[in-house]
PDB file of all heavy atoms in Angstrom:
ATOM      1  N   ILE X   3     -15.267 -17.035   4.988  1.00  0.00           N
ATOM      2  CA  ILE X   3     -14.179 -17.376   5.815  1.00  0.00           C
ATOM      3  C   ILE X   3     -13.361 -16.159   5.997  1.00  0.00           C
ATOM      4  O   ILE X   3     -12.884 -15.406   5.045  1.00  0.00           O
ATOM      5  CB  ILE X   3     -13.248 -18.509   5.216  1.00  0.00           C
ATOM      6  CG1 ILE X   3     -14.046 -19.761   4.995  1.00  0.00           C
ATOM      7  CG2 ILE X   3     -12.019 -18.768   6.191  1.00  0.00           C
ATOM      8  CD1 ILE X   3     -13.260 -20.820   4.410  1.00  0.00           C
ATOM      9  N   ALA X   4     -13.070 -15.885   7.284  1.00  0.00           N
ATOM     10  CA  ALA X   4     -12.184 -14.634   7.656  1.00  0.00           C
ATOM     11  C   ALA X   4     -10.809 -15.053   7.963  1.00  0.00           C
ATOM     12  O   ALA X   4     -10.687 -16.115   8.675  1.00  0.00           O
ATOM     13  CB  ALA X   4     -12.771 -13.941   8.859  1.00  0.00           C
ATOM     14  N   ILE X   5      -9.902 -14.342   7.441  1.00  0.00           N
ATOM     15  CA  ILE X   5      -8.447 -14.547   7.752  1.00  0.00           C
ATOM     16  C   ILE X   5      -8.100 -13.337   8.579  1.00  0.00           C
ATOM     17  O   ILE X   5      -8.080 -12.249   8.053  1.00  0.00           O
ATOM     18  CB  ILE X   5      -7.596 -14.705   6.642  1.00  0.00           C
ATOM     19  CG1 ILE X   5      -8.049 -16.038   5.721  1.00  0.00           C
ATOM     20  CG2 ILE X   5      -6.028 -14.914   6.779  1.00  0.00           C
ATOM     21  CD1 ILE X   5      -7.135 -16.050   4.390  1.00  0.00           C
ATOM     22  N   ILE X 104     -13.420 -15.026   0.929  1.00  0.00           N
ATOM     23  CA  ILE X 104     -12.365 -14.881   1.832  1.00  0.00           C
ATOM     24  C   ILE X 104     -12.190 -13.389   2.320  1.00  0.00           C
ATOM     25  O   ILE X 104     -11.897 -12.500   1.392  1.00  0.00           O
ATOM     26  CB  ILE X 104     -11.091 -15.367   1.209  1.00  0.00           C
ATOM     27  CG1 ILE X 104     -11.150 -16.758   0.629  1.00  0.00           C
ATOM     28  CG2 ILE X 104      -9.900 -15.248   2.234  1.00  0.00           C
ATOM     29  CD1 ILE X 104     -11.453 -17.861   1.655  1.00  0.00           C
ATOM     30  N   LEU X 105     -12.439 -13.042   3.490  1.00  0.00           N
ATOM     31  CA  LEU X 105     -12.464 -11.837   4.040  1.00  0.00           C
ATOM     32  C   LEU X 105     -11.095 -11.656   4.899  1.00  0.00           C
ATOM     33  O   LEU X 105     -10.930 -12.466   5.867  1.00  0.00           O
ATOM     34  CB  LEU X 105     -13.505 -11.450   4.937  1.00  0.00           C
ATOM     35  CG  LEU X 105     -13.706 -10.107   5.586  1.00  0.00           C
ATOM     36  CD1 LEU X 105     -15.134  -9.578   5.675  1.00  0.00           C
ATOM     37  CD2 LEU X 105     -13.147 -10.102   6.921  1.00  0.00           C
ATOM     38  N   ILE X 106     -10.256 -10.782   4.374  1.00  0.00           N
ATOM     39  CA  ILE X 106      -8.880 -10.738   5.081  1.00  0.00           C
ATOM     40  C   ILE X 106      -8.831  -9.379   5.869  1.00  0.00           C
ATOM     41  O   ILE X 106      -9.071  -8.274   5.285  1.00  0.00           O
ATOM     42  CB  ILE X 106      -7.699 -10.763   4.055  1.00  0.00           C
ATOM     43  CG1 ILE X 106      -7.766 -12.036   3.204  1.00  0.00           C
ATOM     44  CG2 ILE X 106      -6.362 -10.590   4.632  1.00  0.00           C
ATOM     45  CD1 ILE X 106      -6.896 -12.089   2.003  1.00  0.00           C
ATOM     46  N   PRO X 165     -11.282  -4.725   5.999  1.00  0.00           N
ATOM     47  CA  PRO X 165     -11.135  -5.930   5.324  1.00  0.00           C
ATOM     48  C   PRO X 165     -10.998  -5.732   3.720  1.00  0.00           C
ATOM     49  O   PRO X 165     -11.702  -4.834   3.255  1.00  0.00           O
ATOM     50  CB  PRO X 165     -12.386  -6.707   5.747  1.00  0.00           C
ATOM     51  CG  PRO X 165     -13.354  -5.738   6.125  1.00  0.00           C
ATOM     52  CD  PRO X 165     -12.560  -4.630   6.846  1.00  0.00           C
ATOM     53  N   GLN X 166     -10.297  -6.737   3.141  1.00  0.00           N
ATOM     54  CA  GLN X 166     -10.263  -6.863   1.765  1.00  0.00           C
ATOM     55  C   GLN X 166     -10.816  -8.333   1.460  1.00  0.00           C
ATOM     56  O   GLN X 166     -10.424  -9.240   2.155  1.00  0.00           O
ATOM     57  CB  GLN X 166      -8.837  -6.672   1.187  1.00  0.00           C
ATOM     58  CG  GLN X 166      -8.399  -5.298   1.382  1.00  0.00           C
ATOM     59  CD  GLN X 166      -6.913  -5.089   0.900  1.00  0.00           C
ATOM     60  OE1 GLN X 166      -6.232  -6.086   0.526  1.00  0.00           O
ATOM     61  NE2 GLN X 166      -6.380  -3.862   0.972  1.00  0.00           N
ATOM     62  N   THR X 167     -11.726  -8.311   0.574  1.00  0.00           N
ATOM     63  CA  THR X 167     -12.590  -9.540   0.483  1.00  0.00           C
ATOM     64  C   THR X 167     -12.504 -10.094  -1.070  1.00  0.00           C
ATOM     65  O   THR X 167     -12.546  -9.192  -1.983  1.00  0.00           O
ATOM     66  CB  THR X 167     -14.040  -9.369   0.816  1.00  0.00           C
ATOM     67  OG1 THR X 167     -14.119  -8.608   2.056  1.00  0.00           O
ATOM     68  CG2 THR X 167     -14.756 -10.615   0.921  1.00  0.00           C
TER      69      THR X 167
END
Side-chain angles (χ1 to χ4, degrees):
I3 300 175
I5 298 173
I104 306 296
L105 181 145
I106 302 171
Q166 296 179 352
T167 310

